[in-house]
């Protein structure tokens, strides 16, 4: 048996992780009473009792909690951080197991792992293979458009949409300083800062991330089929990431993978006009959050859950 403490278990991601872990017989979940969750001594004591802690906290609180765990020395548990606090930190391993060959093994060997963001999971899954294959230059001016269900916005946004129905659709982050940009740039193998335009729709969960491309501006002027072949080769053998044929009606809706941990990748092309759009579809609460976290927990604790990374 292995034991896990979720620091911040009452939030959307924490609840999702708890529900998934409860279904794994080899995991024992440890919790603090609600009146002791802000007690530093109680939190430190429970950290010393468990094999792994999950941080589902705001960034500053996650940094504080990670430092508290590290202060335990030899008794320190492994740490999985679901916040954005450590995603580009050099001494933390990025928890996207399918991102590159050997990444799952690096996660399994790590003491500290940062869980990816939902938007970066989609963007990096599309960009990394094509940049590494030389089909997209690292300094290509990438634009990323994405839409998520409102559950990705946290408690305040969920309450707003549930109580007042919220707007049907809205762009946000138009200051072009979204906190996920650094993560996308680093793990997408880019050396030019991408333009990232996120949006939220009036539905609970589900996500589409799209990247438009002019094929004649890419090295070697590839066809759309070349991009798809590179993605298929990169993710061959992956259980959760699949390259899927573009739908015949030219439409994709964001909720098809809800309540799963799958990630689908598409290459939509118009060869007449030499244009393409890369699209990733995922559940922002599944492969984009809690599902990815449990996949990382399984790797870090050596659990066999029936789903491999490659």
């Amino acid at each position: 048996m292995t034991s896990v403490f979720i620091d911040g278990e009452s939030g959307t991601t924490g609840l999702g992780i708890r529900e998934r872990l409860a279904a794994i017989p080899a995991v024992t979940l440890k919790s603090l009473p609600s009146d002791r969750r802000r007690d530093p001594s109680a939190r430190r004591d429970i950290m010393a009792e468990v094999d792994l802690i999950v941080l589902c906290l705001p960034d500053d609180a996650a940094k504080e909690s990670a430092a508290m765990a590290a202060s335990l020395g030899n008794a320190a548990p492994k740490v999985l951080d679901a916040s954005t606090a450590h995603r580009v930190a050099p001494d933390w391993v990025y928890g996207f197991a399918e991102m590159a060959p050997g990444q799952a093994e690096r996660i399994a060997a790590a003491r500290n792992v940062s869980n990816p963001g939902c938007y970066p999971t989609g963007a990096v899954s599309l960009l990394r293979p094509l940049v590494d294959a030389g089909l997209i230059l690292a300094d290509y001016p990438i634009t990323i458009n994405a839409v998520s269900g409102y559950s990705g916005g946290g408690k305040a946004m969920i309450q707003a949409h549930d109580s007042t129905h919220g707007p049907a659709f809205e762009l946000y982050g138009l200051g072009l300083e979204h906190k996920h940009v650094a993560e996308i740039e680093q793990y997408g193998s880019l050396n030019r800062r991408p333009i990232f335009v996120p949006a939220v729709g009036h539905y609970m969960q589900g996500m589409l991330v799209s990247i438009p491309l002019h094929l004649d501006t890419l090295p070697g002027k590839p066809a759309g089929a070349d991009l798809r072949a590179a993605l298929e080769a990169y993710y061959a053998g992956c259980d959760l990431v699949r390259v899927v044929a573009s739908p015949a009606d030219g439409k994709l809706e964001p909720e098809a993978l809800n309540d799963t941990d799958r990630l689908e990748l598409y290459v939509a092309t118009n060869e007449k006009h030499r244009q393409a759009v890369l699209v990733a579809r995922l559940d922002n609460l599944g492969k984009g959050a809690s599902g990815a976290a449990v996949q990382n927990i399984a790797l870090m604790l050596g659990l066999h859950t029936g789903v491999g990374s490659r």
Side-chain angles (χ1 to χ4, degrees), residues 99 124-135 230-231 234-235:
M99 181 181 75
V124 170
S125 68
L126 294 166
L127 291 168
R128 178 73 175 248
L130 300 180
V131 174
D132 287 359
L135 291 169
L231 290 172
Y234 196 86
Y235 294 110

Side-chain angles (χ1 to χ4, degrees), residues 27-266:
V27 173
T28 298
L29 288 164
K30 301 277 190 176
S31 295
L32 287 172
S34 58
D35 61 346
R36 300 196 69 197
R37 289 175 185 170
R38 295 182 181 272
D39 181 344
S41 63
R43 291 170 62 234
R44 195 173 191 275
D45 288 345
I46 199 169
M47 287 180 185
E49 296 174 3
V50 299
D51 299 296
L52 182 145
I53 63 171
V54 185
L55 308 181
C56 297
L57 302 165
D59 285 6
D60 288 344
K63 291 176 183 177
E64 177 186 333
S65 194
M68 181 183 291
S71 73
L72 293 168
N74 292 335
K78 293 187 174 185
V79 181
L80 175 68
D81 185 6
S83 80
T84 62
H86 298 102
R87 287 186 184 155
V88 295
D91 51 346
W92 287 66
V93 173
Y94 193 59
F96 184 4
E98 296 87 1
M99 181 181 75
Q103 191 68 12
E105 289 75 16
R106 285 187 281 273
I107 294 167
R111 300 293 306 175
N112 298 312
V113 174
S114 58
N115 210 52
C118 49
Y119 288 125
T121 296
V124 170
S125 68
L126 294 166
L127 291 168
R128 178 73 175 248
L130 300 180
V131 174
D132 287 359
L135 291 169
I136 295 177
L137 294 176
D139 65 350
Y140 189 89
I142 292 291
T143 298
I144 303 163
N145 302 290
V147 61
S148 173
Y150 61 80
S151 59
K155 289 183 178 179
M157 183 176 286
I158 292 171
Q159 183 177 9
H161 276 265
D162 285 347
S163 61
T164 64
H165 302 293
F169 179 90
E170 64 179 342
L171 299 179
Y172 66 99
L174 291 177
L176 303 182
E177 292 286 356
H178 196 285
K179 61 184 179 180
H180 287 334
V181 171
E183 187 181 347
I184 294 169
E185 183 177 2
Q186 178 164 317
Y187 299 110
S189 295
L190 303 175
N191 58 32
R192 181 194 293 256
R193 193 175 190 274
I195 294 174
F196 173 48
V197 185
V200 62
H202 182 60
Y203 63 96
M204 180 64 175
Q205 63 196 86
M207 174 172 284
L208 294 172
V209 179
S210 61
I211 302 172
L213 298 170
H214 289 278
L215 295 173
D216 287 344
T217 66
L218 302 180
K221 299 184 178 182
D226 298 320
L227 303 181
R228 178 173 174 175
L231 290 172
E232 288 176 333
Y234 196 86
Y235 294 110
C238 291
D239 293 315
L240 297 177
V241 183
R242 299 289 175 88
V243 181
V244 182
S246 294
D249 63 1
K251 298 178 182 179
L252 276 176
E253 57 87 15
E255 299 177 275
L257 297 182
N258 284 3
D259 301 317
T260 80
D261 296 333
R262 300 199 308 275
L263 171 62
E264 292 180 347
L265 307 180
Y266 298 83

